[in-house]
């Protein structure tokens, strides 16, 4: 089945503007406070820090540069996720809720400001989701699956735990009927080729710290505990009970959507569940995995809210 692409010729609705203005105001206020009070600056360096993030941290040594780069990346991620929603028509009515929700959730989490490793990982991850959705029931598009592998591999250079999401994409490929031997190998080679170049660099430099840091990050399991949770994170953790409601709503309202929409929404649900699992196993990086959770949650919550509004409207009229 050929990928269906919306030409996006529908008239833009103005109904989102009353909620967009205060949302953007809150986001700009958060970023403004981040700049004024130097929140998250100098850039955080953990005990185990990937070399590429150390390089990026040195390049973004100025407070203004770090804030602008962080805000720019998050806006791009929000925009791409909104485009995925529009192109795939995941939500029946035109809305900017996914864009606003993601930007609001990220901006109100002080642990993600101004920029962290997960910011670059999110940029790679959202483009990987775009490539996966584009290849729906198209196993012949091996270039798309290679791109997915490369994007996950690059994200792993900044945040190695992202590599655990690669099996999730293989499950998604299977659900979308785009998984065969060629597509699987293309995605696998895409991941491996990144680390082949890294290995060549390490051999040339006679320094294997990047590989040792990669292994240490992947195996550094620190389970979530109540002592780890900070006060500013409590507000964003309310996403979890909302996602529970979304899960039951999707299961009970599944037949009202096409098979394609159900499968795409199911992948986003699996991605959210995987992010929750990462939060449990890597509790020390709670902020980072909350940011990854925000990515599918922004679409899922918007999907839930729009469906609830549609049901209320149907009952009233």
């Amino acid at each position: 089945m050929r990928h269906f692409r919306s030409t996006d010729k529908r008239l833009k609705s103005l109904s989102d503007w009353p909620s967009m203005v205060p949302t953007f105001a809150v986001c700009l206020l958060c970023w403004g406070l981040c700049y004024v009070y130097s929140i998250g600056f100098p850039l955080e360096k953990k005990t185990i820090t990937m070399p590429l993030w150390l390089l990026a941290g040195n390049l973004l040594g100025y407070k203004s540069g770090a804030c602008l780069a962080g805000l720019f990346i998050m806006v791009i991620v929000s925009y791409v996720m909104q485009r995925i929603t529009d192109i795939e028509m995941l939500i029946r009515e035109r809305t900017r809720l996914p864009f606003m929700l993601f930007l609001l959730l990220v901006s109100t989490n002080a642990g993600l400001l101004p920029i962290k490793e997960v910011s670059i990982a999110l940029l790679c991850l959202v483009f990987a989701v775009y490539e996966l959705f584009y290849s729906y029931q198209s196993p012949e598009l091996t270039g798309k699956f290679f791109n997915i592998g490369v994007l996950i591999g690059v994200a792993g250079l900044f945040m190695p735990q992202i590599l655990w999401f690669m099996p999730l994409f293989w499950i998604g490929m299977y659900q979308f009927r785009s998984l065969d031997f060629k597509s699987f190998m293309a995605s696998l080679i895409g991941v491996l080729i990144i680390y082949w170049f890294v290995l060549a660099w390490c051999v040339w430099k006679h320094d294997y710290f990047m590989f040792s840091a990669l292994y240490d990050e992947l195996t550094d399991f620190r389970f979530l505990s109540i002592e780890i949770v900070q006060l500013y994170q409590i507000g964003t953790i309310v996403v979890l009970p909302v996602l529970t409601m979304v899960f039951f709503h999707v299961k009970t309202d599944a037949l009202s959507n096409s098979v394609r929409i159900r499968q795409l929404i199911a992948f986003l649900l699996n991605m959210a569940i995987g992010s929750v699992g990462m939060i449990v196993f890597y509790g020390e990086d709670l902020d980072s995995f909350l940011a990854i959770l925000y990515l599918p949650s922004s679409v899922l919550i918007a999907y839930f809210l729009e469906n609830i509004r549609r049901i209320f409207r149907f009952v009233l009229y």
Side-chain angles (χ1 to χ4, degrees), residues 175-246:
Q175 291 175 330
F176 300 165
R177 298 181 182 178
S178 56
L179 180 66
D180 59 13
F181 180 74
K182 288 184 179 179
S183 60
F184 173 77
M185 289 305 299
S187 61
L188 184 61
I189 291 172
V191 176
L192 294 178
I193 198 170
I194 297 298
Y195 295 95
W196 176 259
F197 283 118
V198 171
L199 177 62
W201 174 267
C202 291
V203 171
W204 183 46
K205 289 292 186 178
H206 301 288
D207 182 5
Y208 298 90
F209 172 73
M210 183 172 288
F211 272 100
S212 63
L214 176 69
Y215 174 79
D216 291 339
E217 283 273 15
L218 286 174
T219 57
D220 186 27
F221 297 108
R222 298 185 181 181
F223 293 95
L224 180 67
S225 63
I226 193 63
E227 292 82 7
I228 297 175
V229 180
Q230 302 295 321
L231 182 61
Y232 65 84
Q233 296 166 335
I234 295 175
T236 57
I237 292 178
V238 298
V239 170
L240 297 178
V242 174
L243 280 179
T244 304
M245 291 189 292
V246 173

Side-chain angles (χ1 to χ4, degrees), residues 38-300:
S38 301
I39 298 174
F41 199 85
L43 298 181
E44 176 187 357
K45 293 181 175 63
K46 301 182 294 185
T47 305
I48 306 171
T49 305
M50 298 300 291
L52 279 183
W53 176 242
L54 288 173
L55 177 62
N58 293 331
L59 293 175
L60 298 172
Y62 297 99
K63 182 169 62 173
S64 57
C67 289
L68 288 175
L71 180 59
F72 177 75
I73 289 175
M74 291 307 174
V75 169
I76 293 296
V77 173
S78 303
Y79 175 77
V80 174
M81 206 64 209
Q82 179 66 52
R83 288 298 300 156
I84 292 173
T85 306
D86 291 341
I87 291 173
E88 303 295 344
M89 294 189 293
L90 298 178
I91 301 175
R92 296 181 181 182
E93 298 184 10
R94 187 164 186 83
T95 177
R96 292 288 178 265
L97 269 177
F99 180 89
M100 293 187 292
L101 284 173
F102 180 81
L103 204 57
L104 181 65
L105 287 169
V106 170
S107 300
T108 53
N109 188 339
L112 297 173
L113 304 181
I115 187 172
K116 292 184 69 174
E117 305 100 314
V118 71
S119 304
I120 303 172
L122 279 171
L123 190 62
C124 296
L125 201 57
V126 72
F127 279 109
V129 173
Y130 177 83
E131 295 285 72
L132 177 66
F133 283 14
Y134 187 95
S135 61
Y136 182 84
Q137 292 190 354
S138 302
E140 70 277 3
L141 299 178
T142 52
K144 296 294 180 183
F145 305 114
F146 177 80
N147 292 342
I148 291 172
V150 170
L151 288 165
I152 297 297
V154 171
L157 295 179
F158 292 90
M159 190 176 173
Q161 297 92 335
I162 295 294
L163 293 175
W164 294 121
F165 281 90
M166 195 63 231
L168 183 66
F169 279 85
W170 287 329
I171 294 172
M173 290 161 60
Y174 174 77
Q175 291 175 330
F176 300 165
R177 298 181 182 178
S178 56
L179 180 66
D180 59 13
F181 180 74
K182 288 184 179 179
S183 60
F184 173 77
M185 289 305 299
S187 61
L188 184 61
I189 291 172
V191 176
L192 294 178
I193 198 170
I194 297 298
Y195 295 95
W196 176 259
F197 283 118
V198 171
L199 177 62
W201 174 267
C202 291
V203 171
W204 183 46
K205 289 292 186 178
H206 301 288
D207 182 5
Y208 298 90
F209 172 73
M210 183 172 288
F211 272 100
S212 63
L214 176 69
Y215 174 79
D216 291 339
E217 283 273 15
L218 286 174
T219 57
D220 186 27
F221 297 108
R222 298 185 181 181
F223 293 95
L224 180 67
S225 63
I226 193 63
E227 292 82 7
I228 297 175
V229 180
Q230 302 295 321
L231 182 61
Y232 65 84
Q233 296 166 335
I234 295 175
T236 57
I237 292 178
V238 298
V239 170
L240 297 178
V242 174
L243 280 179
T244 304
M245 291 189 292
V246 173
F247 177 81
F248 286 108
H249 173 74
V250 169
K251 294 301 180 181
T252 56
D253 193 51
L255 295 179
S256 64
N257 293 310
S258 65
V259 174
R260 179 190 180 90
I261 298 300
R262 293 204 301 267
Q263 290 176 335
L264 298 180
I265 292 294
F267 174 80
L268 294 176
L269 275 173
N270 291 339
M271 189 175 177
I273 293 171
S275 302
V276 174
M278 291 293 186
I279 290 173
V280 173
F281 285 102
Y282 295 99
E284 286 290 330
D285 293 323
L286 178 58
D287 287 317
S288 297
F289 290 108
L290 278 174
I292 297 174
L293 177 63
Y294 299 156
L295 195 62
S297 298
S298 59
V299 178
L300 292 172

